[in-house]
C-alpha cells in the first residue's frame, strides 16, 4: 500500500507544483485568466499558488513523515473544492470553451482525496 501512496503523492506533488508555481509568481496565462475571467485579485491568485507549492513540498516530505503528507493532501482537497466552486459560479462547466480548464481542479480534487486515503491506509 505504501508504494501506491508514494506514487500518488509524487504525481500529486508534481501536478501541484506545476499548477502553483505560475500562480505564485503571477506569470503566464493561467494567473491572468484567473484575474480577468474569475475576477480574483492578484493577492488571492498568489496565495493560491503559494498554497499549492507548499502542498507539493508537504507531499514530498510526507513520503517520510506520513501525517504531513495526509495534511498536505487534505489541504489540496479543500483548495480544489474552492476552485470547483469558483468555476461553477463563473459558469465554466456549462460553457464548452472553458469546460476543459474547469475540469482540472475536479481531477486534482479526486487525486488529492485518493492520495490522502491511501497515505492514511499506509500508516
Amino acid at each position: 500500500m505504501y508504494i501506491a501512496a508514494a506514487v500518488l503523492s509524487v504525481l500529486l506533488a508534481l501536478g501541484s507544483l506545476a499548477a502553483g508555481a505560475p500562480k505564485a509568481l503571477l506569470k503566464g496565462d493561467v494567473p491572468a485568466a484567473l484575474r480577468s475571467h474569475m475576477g480574483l485579485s492578484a493577492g488571492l491568485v498568489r496565495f493560491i499558488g503559494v498554497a499549492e507549492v507548499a502542498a507539493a513540498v508537504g507531499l514530498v516530505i510526507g513520503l517520510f513523515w506520513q501525517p504531513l503528507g495526509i495534511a498536505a493532501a487534505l489541504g489540496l482537497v479543500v483548495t480544489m473544492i474552492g476552485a470547483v466552486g469558483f468555476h461553477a459560479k463563473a459558469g465554466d462547466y456549462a460553457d464548452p470553451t472553458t469546460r476543459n480548464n474547469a475540469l482540472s481542479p475536479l481531477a486534482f480534487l479526486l487525486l488529492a482525496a485518493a492520495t490522502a486515503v491511501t497515505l492514511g491506509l499506509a500508516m
Side-chain angles (χ1 to χ4, degrees):
M1 184 62 82
Y2 179 75
I3 293 173
V7 169
L8 288 174
S9 293
V10 169
L11 288 175
L12 186 59
L14 290 174
S16 181
L17 183 63
K23 292 176 198 159
L25 298 173
L26 293 178
K27 302 236 184 227
D29 295 337
V30 173
L34 289 173
R35 292 175 64 197
S36 64
H37 175 67
M38 298 282 215
L40 301 178
S41 69
L44 182 57
V45 172
R46 181 166 287 174
F47 175 77
I48 293 166
V50 168
E52 289 174 347
V53 170
V57 172
L59 285 161
V60 170
I61 295 171
L63 293 172
F64 306 101
W65 189 48
Q66 289 171 330
L68 182 61
I70 294 169
L74 290 176
L76 274 174
V77 166
V78 171
T79 304
M80 292 304 121
I81 288 172
V84 169
F86 269 99
H87 281 288
K89 182 179 173 187
D92 289 342
Y93 295 109
D95 185 3
T97 60
T98 59
R99 186 177 302 138
N100 286 341
N101 290 337
L103 290 176
S104 296
L106 193 56
F108 270 105
L109 170 64
L110 296 174
L111 181 60
T115 302
V117 169
T118 309
L119 281 169
L121 291 174
M123 284 185 71

